[in-house]
Amino acid sequence: MHSATTLAEPSRPTVADFHRVNRGGGLFSESVSQWLGAVFALVAQRLGLRPTALTITNLLLGLATSVTVVALAPAVADGSVPAWLVGLVALVGWQVAYALDCADGQLARVTGQGSPAGARVDVLCDVAAQIALVAALAATAVAQRPDTPTWLVATFAGTWMVNLVTSVMQSGPNAASMVTSTSLPVRLVKLVRDYGAVIFAAGLVLALAPALVFWVIAAFTLVNGGFLLASIAFSARASL
């Protein structure tokens, strides 16, 4: 996300300079998505693009990818369109869109272009892109299993936004984490809440076994719902 906090602009920033100011996201995001974002940020800086241009590109690409998955879900279910093709589109499209989301904040911080308005646009575009992603996964689950319960789809959609909301809440001066350990086992467990890892796994499932998307949305409903309840309990205990 954009931030008003910036670094002094290097005369010729490198990929490492951009990656150095990344805001994390988890083991996968920091090892893959943030590095790819740093490359995009470097290219954008060379082209004279503003961070919001990357934000809007992220939104458009994410929406286009999810709409494609939704539109082709029935055709994948009846076998007229190969699942691997749609899965590959999802895997690449969502990953590149997320890398652009990483890049806009890096570009803003390194070049001193961060602003409250840019941060708001970033969050709003994140919400729109993730709504589209949820719709794509839900449409695939229903196409593969028409008996998918409506309550499951609704709960999946509602709890999915827990990650985004808690990430925004943890970015300010009052940030707090329930698990502060940065050990490798803990970071591996936290991959279930690492957006880069999640969309990578979702793309693989769409490509290799779309019938399992039903169980994917069920699993993430449990994970995100459980995390929401745990976060409420943690925050309530701290407030008392």
Side-chain angles (χ1 to χ4, degrees):
M1 297 179 183
H2 301 178
S3 171
T5 302
T6 62
L7 300 180
E9 182 181 357
S11 56
R12 292 288 288 182
T14 66
V15 169
D17 291 323
F18 286 107
H19 185 266
R20 192 175 297 116
V21 298
N22 81 82
R23 291 298 176 86
L27 184 61
F28 183 96
S29 290
E30 292 164 34
S31 303
V32 178
S33 307
Q34 294 286 3
W35 277 109
L36 184 55
V39 173
F40 288 154
L42 178 67
V43 173
Q45 191 268 340
R46 297 288 192 266
L47 295 176
L49 299 178
R50 295 187 63 82
T52 299
L54 299 182
T55 304
I56 299 301
T57 304
N58 151 44
L59 173 64
L60 295 177
L61 180 58
L63 290 179
T65 301
S66 296
V67 167
T68 299
V69 174
V70 171
L72 295 179
V76 171
D78 66 26
S80 57
V81 172
W84 68 264
L85 180 59
V86 176
L88 181 62
V89 169
L91 187 64
V92 175
W94 286 334
Q95 285 295 331
V96 173
Y98 179 50
L100 288 167
D101 184 35
C102 297
D104 60 8
Q106 294 177 15
L107 180 63
R109 287 185 286 275
V110 169
T111 61
Q113 298 180 77
S115 69
R120 288 194 296 271
V121 171
D122 189 23
V123 173
L124 293 172
C125 286
D126 285 347
V127 171
Q130 293 198 33
I131 288 172
L133 172 68
V134 167
L137 294 178
T140 300
V142 172
Q144 294 288 330
R145 289 187 54 162
D147 61 342
T148 299
T150 303
W151 66 262
L152 176 60
V153 174
T155 308
F156 168 64
T159 56
W160 182 269
M161 304 311 291
V162 171
N163 270 0
L164 183 59
V165 171
T166 54
S167 295
V168 172
M169 290 173 62
Q170 291 177 0
S171 62
N174 297 319
S177 175
M178 289 188 295
V179 182
T180 57
S181 172
T182 57
S183 66
L184 182 59
V186 170
R187 300 195 79 195
L188 289 173
V189 170
K190 284 186 173 183
L191 283 174
V192 296
R193 301 191 65 249
D194 181 331
Y195 187 70
V198 168
I199 58 177
F200 180 77
L204 285 181
V205 173
L206 286 173
L208 302 176
L212 296 181
V213 171
F214 170 86
W215 296 107
V216 169
I217 71 171
F220 276 103
T221 299
L222 287 174
V223 169
N224 291 327
F227 182 76
L228 175 60
L229 294 177
S231 296
I232 292 172
F234 174 79
S235 298
R237 183 170 180 269
S239 71
L240 295 174

